[in-house]
Amino acid sequence: MTDKTKFIFITGGVVSSLGKGLASASLAALLQARGYKVRLRKLDPYLNVDPGTMNPCQHGEVYVTDDGTEADLDLGHYERFTGISETKYDSVTSGKIYQSVLDKERHGDYLGATIQVIPHVTNEIKSFILNNITDEDFILCEIGGTVGDIEGQPYLESIRQLAYELGRERTMFVHLTLLPYIPTAGELKTKPTQHSVKQLQEYGIQPDILLCRSQMEIPQNEKRKIAQFCNVKEECVIAALDAKSIYHVPLAYSSEGLDFQVCKYFHLNTEQQPDLQKWQNISEVITHPEGEVNIAVVGKYQLQEAYKSLAEALTHGGIANKFKVKIKWIDAEDVEKQGANTLLNDVSGILVPGGFGARGTEGKIAAAKYARENHIPYLGICFGMQMAVIETMRNLVGIKNANSSEISDDCEAVVGLMTEWDKDGAKQIRHADGDLGGTMRLGAYPTILQEGSKISQIYKTTNISERHRHRYEVNINYERALQLAGMIISGKSPDGKLPEIVERVDHPWFIGVQFHPELKSKPFEPHPLFVSFVKAAIDNSRLI
Ligand code: GLN
């Protein structure tokens, strides 16, 4: 780390779900647009070691980085907005912090000391923040949760100490709050923001910028009031208005002066305007698409946050085709009850995403069958690929009890538990009764694509690397049977043992992938699979 590295700490107040992750990612993108090198980090106060074992219905998607870290979905926003790959050095939880402190204590590293939150836990948090920094101009650290949460206190104490140690000229506090609108009073209310800042001040933190979420323009006199009560400059009370698309947010924040105020605070060049051309370009396509296409996502988690990267990747595929993708969220269990035809007859593409456990699997298999029989573009991701393979084995090969051993003990396990695989030349070994946390095949693995296959045309190469998060795999021994039924394995692990991609040769667009392409898609670098899938859906919609 050089002395020039500056730290911006982003906290949230009043309520959760204000979009701290997006605000952090947007600020980072704006600083990039001014020519600075940035890195984003997330500090989550909960006690899980990582979100890998958390229910996606509660916590949303588990994002996976190239290096196999299972992280909060905000890391997805960070990558999509900045194009910079996140790593294990950019995501931490209280669970991980305590685990490390306790490991050191057992090892005897603390030399007889009494282990306390201050300084042992706070030191661990500070060293996480300062670790693995090279020549970045800015490190943006988002503190998860809301000010006042019990679990969050050590984090606030740590960033307070860091501001003291590094100096206020190298540290900045941005606090995101909400100005609720009370219709009966016809007013935006500032009191919750005042209280939230008071609470932050109790921890010794004086915010430098207040980002105030609001559903309408904030009158200047209200900004002045907030500034006076909260000890913040009036021009540093910045409106963060609701946006129609998340990709409008950086432009909106910039026009409110966010990046300007940050540069002014750090005495950086404010004369030069940020280069926001690429943001303007995608905003334009999002606002004025040439058409719309309906794509069904047949999943089982009711919370759309559980499919965050997927929805974004479809949007990116749409942007590349200058189309708006309208996602029809379909519960796989409803497909079981109402039939595929009832729910899928008005869509131009069908996507079955990743998933875990038996619930809804028959609906997903029915969706794959419907797409195959009706020549509707189909993209199966991870579980969605496994379901498509099971469908072919059952209905075309004639193995009626074909299934995954994740779902049934009493089946022909076309998809089975993976107990061994190679990672960077070393064997990874897992057992059926081993720990569940952090033990899947995680992160980036290479795949070799079959020459001349559809997938190799889409990627325009035969060597790819994609991110994985799965415990089961299609059994390669069924390759011949699948091939006779029109489904080829067109991508494999370099040792040829693990099927990574299947495609149907008798179908306009039917592909299943064992990895998660959605994790690497970015608005400015849309993933080729999504670009091609959305294009196939658009072409299909023109046939209807
Ligand atoms: N449950 C499946 C497995 O573990 C698929 C996982 C996923 O879709 N991410 O292999």
Side-chain angles (χ1 to χ4, degrees):
M1 178 172 72
T2 62
D3 280 355
K4 70 169 186 147
T5 308
K6 296 165 179 51
F7 293 81
I8 302 178
F9 300 108
I10 298 112
T11 54
V14 182
V15 290
S16 59
S17 304
L18 286 181
K20 237 178 318 129
L22 273 172
S24 308
S26 299
L27 175 55
L30 291 174
L31 292 168
Q32 266 186 330
R34 286 178 174 268
Y36 295 110
K37 188 165 175 194
V38 299
R39 175 158 283 289
L40 283 145
R41 296 195 156 154
K42 175 91 197 258
L43 296 91
D44 269 311
Y46 52 73
L47 284 170
N48 302 60
V49 172
D50 62 42
T53 52
M54 284 163 121
N55 186 337
C57 296
Q58 273 175 34
H59 194 70
E61 159 189 278
V62 177
Y63 191 74
V64 182
T65 58
D66 273 334
D67 68 7
T69 305
E70 293 178 282
D72 187 84
L73 56 77
D74 281 329
L75 268 79
H77 291 313
Y78 301 169
E79 286 204 10
R80 287 187 282 274
F81 276 52
T82 65
I84 298 170
S85 290
E86 294 286 311
T87 70
K88 62 180 177 205
Y89 300 111
D90 303 316
S91 168
V92 84
T93 65
S94 294
K96 212 172 256 167
I97 295 281
Y98 276 91
Q99 194 174 50
S100 162
V101 169
L102 296 178
D103 283 350
K104 286 182 186 166
E105 187 274 334
R106 290 291 81 187
H107 193 246
D109 293 356
Y110 296 121
L111 293 171
T114 305
I115 313 304
Q116 294 179 301
V117 173
I118 305 171
H120 299 95
V121 170
T122 47
N123 281 352
E124 201 67 30
I125 294 172
K126 286 194 290 182
S127 67
F128 167 80
I129 293 172
L130 298 175
N131 191 15
N132 214 263
I133 298 173
T134 52
D135 57 345
E136 285 86 356
D137 299 299
F138 287 100
I139 304 292
L140 292 91
C141 293
E142 176 191 346
I143 313 295
T146 310
V147 167
D149 294 347
I150 287 181
E151 294 97 336
Q153 289 181 13
Y155 291 90
L156 297 179
E157 171 61 16
S158 303
I159 61 176
R160 183 196 67 76
Q161 289 182 16
L162 269 182
Y164 181 74
E165 288 161 19
L166 297 169
R168 290 296 267 126
E169 60 289 353
R170 285 181 65 195
T171 47
M172 169 180 243
F173 295 110
V174 176
H175 190 53
L176 183 69
T177 72
L178 172 73
L179 301 190
Y181 176 72
I182 306 296
T184 43
E187 276 178 1
L188 288 170
K189 291 294 181 189
T190 65
K191 192 76 81 193
T193 296
Q194 296 173 35
H195 282 297
S196 179
V197 171
K198 283 244 154 56
Q199 198 153 18
L200 210 47
Q201 288 165 341
E202 274 172 31
Y203 295 116
I205 293 174
Q206 169 60 53
D208 303 299
I209 287 188
L210 290 177
L211 255 181
C212 302
R213 286 295 307 272
S214 162
Q215 60 187 85
M216 58 184 66
E217 294 287 342
I218 306 172
Q220 198 56 39
N221 61 330
E222 296 297 325
K223 285 190 180 174
R224 194 168 308 131
K225 190 157 114 192
I226 296 170
Q228 278 167 351
F229 274 109
C230 300
N231 248 357
V232 174
K233 289 195 184 114
E234 195 174 320
E235 60 273 25
C236 290
V237 177
I238 293 177
L241 304 185
D242 296 350
K244 281 215 171 69
S245 157
I246 58 169
Y247 299 113
H248 297 323
V249 172
L251 294 174
Y253 284 5
S254 188
S255 67
E256 293 288 336
L258 177 62
D259 47 317
F260 177 88
Q261 293 302 339
V262 170
C263 291
K264 194 166 155 206
Y265 175 92
F266 287 116
H267 303 291
L268 299 167
N269 180 358
T270 46
E271 302 282 289
Q272 208 177 330
Q273 293 299 309
D275 178 5
L276 297 171
Q277 193 56 51
K278 63 176 190 178
W279 289 98
Q280 277 145 3
N281 294 348
I282 58 162
S283 278
E284 173 60 25
V285 179
I286 291 170
T287 318
H288 302 291
E290 286 172 9
E292 287 185 354
V293 62
N294 291 324
I295 291 181
V297 172
V298 184
K300 72 167 187 183
Y301 305 122
Q302 291 309 308
L303 186 75
Q304 283 176 20
E305 293 279 288
Y307 301 109
K308 194 78 213 161
S309 294
L310 187 75
E312 294 310 319
L314 284 167
T315 302
H316 306 158
I319 293 173
N321 286 288
K322 297 195 163 47
F323 259 61
K324 179 180 167 63
V325 174
K326 287 182 76 178
I327 300 176
K328 183 172 178 188
W329 299 100
I330 294 178
D331 187 333
E333 284 182 292
D334 288 341
V335 178
E336 290 168 13
K337 287 180 219 139
Q338 299 171 37
N341 187 40
T342 321
L343 292 168
L344 296 169
N345 64 5
D346 57 350
V347 298
S348 305
I350 297 173
L351 195 155
V352 176
F356 293 83
R359 184 169 64 81
T361 45
E362 290 305 319
K364 293 177 186 178
I365 292 169
K369 179 168 188 274
Y370 184 82
R372 173 176 64 76
E373 290 179 340
N374 294 284
H375 284 192
I376 299 170
Y378 177 88
L379 175 57
I381 293 180
C382 206
F383 214 36
M385 160 178 165
Q386 298 173 359
M387 296 299 113
V389 168
I390 291 168
E391 192 278 314
T392 291
M393 290 304 293
R394 282 189 193 172
N395 300 322
L396 295 179
V397 181
I399 300 180
K400 292 289 168 227
N401 67 340
N403 215 330
S404 164
S405 52
E406 178 179 2
I407 298 164
S408 161
D409 293 330
D410 180 26
C411 68
E412 179 154 341
V414 175
V415 179
L417 182 69
M418 191 174 9
T419 50
E420 262 189 35
W421 65 94
D422 285 332
K423 175 143 186 94
D424 304 327
K427 215 158 237 19
Q428 299 280 310
I429 297 173
R430 302 285 189 268
H431 301 286
D433 54 357
D435 280 354
L436 290 183
T439 57
M440 280 186 267
R441 184 171 177 242
L442 286 166
Y445 284 86
T447 294
I448 312 295
L449 310 185
Q450 184 179 309
E451 220 60 75
S453 58
K454 188 174 194 80
I455 195 80
S456 70
Q457 286 158 15
I458 291 171
Y459 274 96
K460 298 195 177 68
T461 174
T462 51
N463 275 292
I464 61 164
S465 168
E466 292 281 6
R467 298 181 190 171
H468 293 67
R469 183 171 186 256
H470 64 121
R471 192 169 275 119
Y472 297 82
E473 64 176 319
V474 173
N475 187 331
I476 192 83
N477 295 330
Y478 292 97
E479 181 169 19
R480 181 93 186 113
L482 288 168
Q483 193 177 358
L484 290 173
M487 180 179 265
I488 59 164
I489 298 179
S490 54
K492 291 180 189 163
S493 55
D495 62 6
K497 289 184 186 157
L498 304 179
E500 291 274 13
I501 303 166
V502 297
E503 60 185 75
R504 291 208 64 85
V505 291
D506 56 357
H507 189 285
W509 208 105
F510 192 107
I511 292 176
V513 293
Q514 188 55 73
F515 44 79
H516 289 273
E518 72 275 22
L519 300 175
K520 292 220 303 197
S521 187
K522 303 180 178 77
F524 309 110
E525 219 182 304
H527 194 288
L529 253 179
F530 284 89
V531 177
S532 175
F533 174 58
V534 172
K535 180 170 184 318
I538 295 168
D539 292 346
N540 181 43
S541 71
R542 289 189 172 126
L543 295 177
I544 295 172

